[in-house]
Amino acid sequence: MTKKELKKQLFLAMPLSTCILFIFFDSIPFYFFSQYSFNTQFGLTILYCWICMNPDLLRPIVILFLGLLIDLFHNYLFGFTSVLVSLILFIQKRDTSNLIGKNFKITWLRFFIFILIVNILSSIVFKLLNSDSIINSFDFFYTIVLTSMFFPFIFYFTYYLNNKIVYYAE
C-alpha cells in the first residue's frame, strides 16, 4: 500500500472516527466529574456537521449506531437521537441545500434551531418518563449556548476534512 493510498483510506475513515472520538470526548465529564459537568453535545454536533457536508459519507446504519452511542452515554431515551439524526439525514439527502445556506449565518441558525428542538424534545420525553424530576433551566440554556458557540469550529473542522476526502477520493 502506497503512502497516497494510506492517506486516502485514513481520510475516508475520518467521518466515523471523528464522530466516535467526539462522542467519547463529550461523555468523559459525566463519568469523571459528575458533580461539576455540563452537557456540550459535541458528538451530536459533529454528526450533524458530517450530514450537512456530505450525507453520503455516513450510511444510515452507521448513523443509527452513532445515535445509539450518544443515547447510551448521555442517558437519553434509547433510540431518541438516532431517530432525530436519521430524520436530518433524510432531509439533507432530499436536497443538500436544506441545512447549509449560502451564508454561514443561515447554517448556524439552522443548527441552533435543530439543537433547540432536540433539547426541548429530550426534556419533554425525560419529564414524561420521570415525572418527579426537575429540569434545570440554567443547564438547558447553558447547553444550547455552549453547543452553538462551538458549532463554527466543529463545522470548519469537518469542512476541512471533507475537502481532504473529496481531494483523495478523486
Side-chain angles (χ1 to χ4, degrees):
M1 185 177 264
T2 66
K3 187 176 180 180
K4 187 170 181 163
E5 290 173 353
L6 184 64
K7 278 187 177 181
K8 178 181 178 181
Q9 293 300 320
L10 179 70
F11 277 107
L12 288 176
M14 278 296 167
L16 180 62
S17 58
T18 55
C19 286
I20 291 173
L21 180 72
F22 274 65
I23 290 169
F24 283 129
F25 176 72
D26 198 22
S27 67
I28 288 172
F30 286 115
Y31 292 107
F32 294 116
F33 310 109
S34 62
Q35 293 177 347
Y36 306 106
S37 68
F38 48 88
N39 192 358
T40 55
Q41 298 178 331
F42 289 148
L44 184 61
T45 304
I46 198 159
L47 186 56
Y48 179 90
C49 289
W50 278 117
I51 291 171
C52 285
M53 291 290 161
N54 196 343
D56 296 326
L57 285 177
L58 292 171
R59 300 280 182 214
I61 192 76
V62 173
I63 290 176
L64 175 71
F65 168 73
L66 293 171
L68 292 175
L69 202 59
I70 292 170
D71 293 338
L72 184 68
F73 286 129
H74 290 287
N75 294 326
Y76 293 148
L77 180 64
F78 203 63
F80 176 76
T81 306
S82 297
V83 169
L84 293 176
V85 174
S86 295
L87 183 66
I88 290 296
L89 173 71
F90 294 128
I91 288 171
Q92 188 67 2
K93 278 197 173 205
R94 285 188 98 183
D95 183 11
T96 56
S97 65
N98 282 333
L99 300 177
I100 295 184
K102 292 181 182 182
N103 187 350
F104 179 73
K105 291 178 185 177
I106 295 170
T107 305
W108 202 354
L109 178 66
R110 289 175 182 164
F111 173 75
F112 178 78
I113 292 168
F114 167 74
I115 209 71
L116 184 67
I117 290 171
V118 165
N119 284 304
I120 288 172
L121 289 176
S122 175
S123 297
I124 290 170
V125 168
F126 185 73
K127 186 68 175 169
L128 288 174
L129 294 176
N130 303 319
S131 58
D132 299 340
S133 66
I134 298 171
I135 296 173
N136 188 343
S137 59
F138 175 76
D139 287 343
F140 178 83
F141 289 112
Y142 187 74
T143 299
I144 292 171
V145 168
L146 188 67
T147 305
S148 297
M149 283 176 40
F150 278 101
F151 175 72
F153 303 108
I154 295 172
F155 185 83
Y156 285 118
F157 174 69
T158 55
Y159 180 77
Y160 171 77
L161 290 177
N162 187 51
N163 285 340
K164 290 289 188 179
I165 290 169
V166 169
Y167 171 75
Y168 284 111
E170 292 177 352

